[in-house]
Amino acid sequence: MKKLILGVSLALAASTATARDDIGRYSVEELLSTAKAEQALDPNIKLFFGKQKAGEVKSTYGEVQTNKKTNAFNKSDKEACQWVMLSALKSLQERARREGMNAVMNISSYYKKREFVSETEFECGAGFVMAGVTLKGDLIKL
């Protein structure tokens, strides 16, 4: 009986630890200035966050979303969130390229369908095992 109680207690403790889903905000500028960002992102597909001005828009494709997750185990929330944000931005750039566009504007966080618009920060959900970023943005041609 003691083994059963101990097993149930450990299972409950483990499920509580994995249920963590903290939402953090991180600097876009800090992320984009990293060597990882320079390697991962295409400089030919421009990114405009929040209400940043993109210049003269020649054509638009419309709004798209991307939802990316990454393994957060044994990483800080910031490290996992920066990694998954790069994956989400790369996904937006790839979609823009496929649709014949050369920029993404109005990029906003949309984690768990809650919009967060900022020119300087993005939102990321981080748990014990996974971290995730959802972004929305408009594909355009400058």
Side-chain angles (χ1 to χ4, degrees):
M1 184 67 160
K2 288 182 182 179
K3 287 182 181 180
L4 176 63
I5 292 172
L6 178 60
V8 170
S9 296
L10 289 174
L12 287 173
S15 69
T16 301
T18 59
R20 182 174 78 89
D21 187 18
D22 297 335
I23 298 174
R25 292 184 179 169
Y26 302 93
S27 168
V28 169
E29 182 180 346
E30 183 180 337
L31 172 66
L32 294 179
S33 68
T34 65
K36 287 179 183 177
E38 190 174 312
Q39 293 169 355
L41 300 176
D42 182 347
N44 298 312
I45 307 288
K46 303 295 181 202
L47 301 169
F48 300 94
F49 296 86
K51 302 297 178 193
Q52 288 177 330
K53 301 295 180 206
E56 183 184 343
V57 177
K58 294 180 180 170
S59 63
T60 63
Y61 175 82
E63 185 179 88
V64 297
Q65 287 184 30
T66 185
N67 181 358
K68 296 294 182 182
K69 304 279 188 232
T70 193
N71 178 350
F73 186 73
N74 210 23
K75 296 180 179 100
S76 70
D77 286 357
K78 181 178 179 180
E79 181 183 10
C81 286
Q82 285 184 333
W83 182 261
V84 75
M85 178 63 166
L86 285 177
S87 178
L89 291 172
K90 186 174 180 177
S91 177
L92 288 176
Q93 287 184 323
E94 288 169 353
R95 179 71 187 272
R97 187 179 308 103
R98 275 196 317 271
E99 303 302 342
M101 302 290 121
N102 64 5
V104 184
M105 65 182 256
N106 299 325
I107 299 172
S108 63
S109 296
Y110 198 58
Y111 190 71
K112 293 196 174 182
K113 298 186 179 181
R114 281 187 8 260
E115 189 166 30
F116 171 71
V117 178
S118 174
E119 292 75 39
T120 60
E121 294 180 306
F122 68 94
E123 279 190 343
C124 172
F128 181 68
V129 178
M130 299 293 289
V133 167
T134 303
L135 297 177
K136 295 191 319 183
D138 297 319
L139 305 183
I140 60 170
K141 187 170 220 167
L142 298 173

